[in-house]
Amino acid sequence: MDCYDSIGAMIKWYIKCRNKTIKETAASMNIKETTFSAQLINNTVTADTLLRLAAYLDIDLEWMMIVLGYHGPVSPVEREMIPRMRDEFRTKERKRVNKVLDTIIMENPVSTPAARRELLRAYHDNVFYLLDVLIPEDYRIYMFTERDKLKYFVDIPEPVQGRQSPIVRRRRINRLFEGPKALDIVIEERKDQL
């Protein structure tokens, strides 16, 4: 899935990853939806609009330049990654998502998978957005395409057990969890907080 062949395609991808629509993004930019869609299709977004989009969607413009090849060749892995939201952006989004999640947990107090399904339904099955908002900043999100289906994995660091010798340092052990499992962990932790 190569969604980074143009600046318009990258902006569309960011819109999706930030759980927005083209219509609401255009409205926030004070641009008609048809005009904005045409700008994305034709890659004619102005510098002013791009900067306003960067503020609205928390776009990392440096990363965008790297992926579009302005700094030279790009590896396939770099092309599949979108930087996580900045803390202040994530904090604002998390408050909204947690309100929805709390309601869903109250309606599904026993079944974590049912709560996850409802949460995904509430956010249009946008797994990346929910993971980005709900998991800690130091966790990494990986995206892989398998049989034309995009899958998400979360790299969760495991604490190092036992005393460490000053001579032999043990590397931090990480575990990869599939996106749905990582959401289940978040839901279970949220249940404990309620």
Side-chain angles (χ1 to χ4, degrees):
M1 175 188 212
D2 192 8
C3 56
Y4 307 132
D5 58 353
S6 68
I7 197 163
M10 285 188 89
I11 292 169
K12 285 180 187 176
W13 187 242
Y14 256 108
I15 289 169
K16 180 181 179 193
C17 287
R18 298 305 189 234
N19 203 48
K20 307 288 185 199
T21 65
I22 289 178
K23 182 177 183 174
E24 70 185 304
T25 303
S28 74
M29 299 292 112
N30 294 319
I31 303 172
K32 289 182 182 177
E33 181 183 0
T34 54
T35 302
F36 184 58
S37 291
Q39 289 175 352
L40 295 177
I41 290 167
N42 298 317
N43 299 305
T44 57
V45 175
T46 66
D48 178 63
T49 300
L50 181 60
L51 293 174
R52 289 187 296 135
L53 284 166
Y56 178 68
L57 298 170
D58 192 30
I59 294 175
D60 182 339
L61 294 174
E62 179 64 27
W63 176 83
M64 186 180 271
M65 288 186 340
I66 290 168
V67 172
L68 287 173
Y70 286 95
H71 296 298
V74 181
S75 76
V77 172
E78 288 174 303
R79 293 178 62 80
E80 288 293 321
M81 299 306 298
I82 289 184
R84 303 273 317 267
M85 293 177 200
R86 289 186 321 255
D87 274 342
E88 57 273 10
F89 199 83
R90 183 181 300 108
T91 299
K92 184 175 76 172
E93 295 292 308
R94 186 178 293 135
K95 286 178 185 176
R96 282 189 272 193
V97 172
N98 277 337
K99 283 182 185 179
V100 173
L101 179 55
D102 292 348
T103 301
I104 290 170
I105 288 172
M106 296 300 184
E107 293 170 356
N108 298 285
V110 177
S111 174
T112 298
R116 174 182 20 94
R117 284 190 298 274
E118 288 301 315
L119 183 63
L120 285 166
R121 189 173 297 130
Y123 288 94
H124 314 290
D125 292 318
N126 196 332
V127 176
F128 183 89
Y129 170 78
L130 290 170
L131 290 172
D132 195 14
V133 169
L134 294 172
I135 65 171
E137 180 186 0
D138 60 333
Y139 293 10
R140 290 189 177 149
I141 301 172
Y142 295 98
M143 299 181 282
F144 300 101
T145 303
E146 184 178 289
R147 296 184 188 133
D148 293 330
K149 183 174 177 170
L150 195 57
K151 290 188 172 189
Y152 299 92
F153 292 86
V154 177
D155 185 8
I156 300 177
E158 293 285 322
V160 177
Q161 301 294 323
R163 233 177 93 181
Q164 286 189 341
S165 159
I167 299 170
V168 180
R169 297 227 185 256
R170 290 177 35 196
R171 293 183 61 197
R172 189 169 81 181
I173 300 169
N174 293 356
R175 292 182 62 191
L176 272 182
F177 287 96
E178 286 193 49
K181 176 64 178 164
L183 284 175
D184 286 351
I185 292 168
V186 168
I187 292 167
E188 287 293 326
E189 288 174 355
R190 189 71 182 169
K191 281 182 183 180
D192 292 342
Q193 294 170 2
L194 294 177

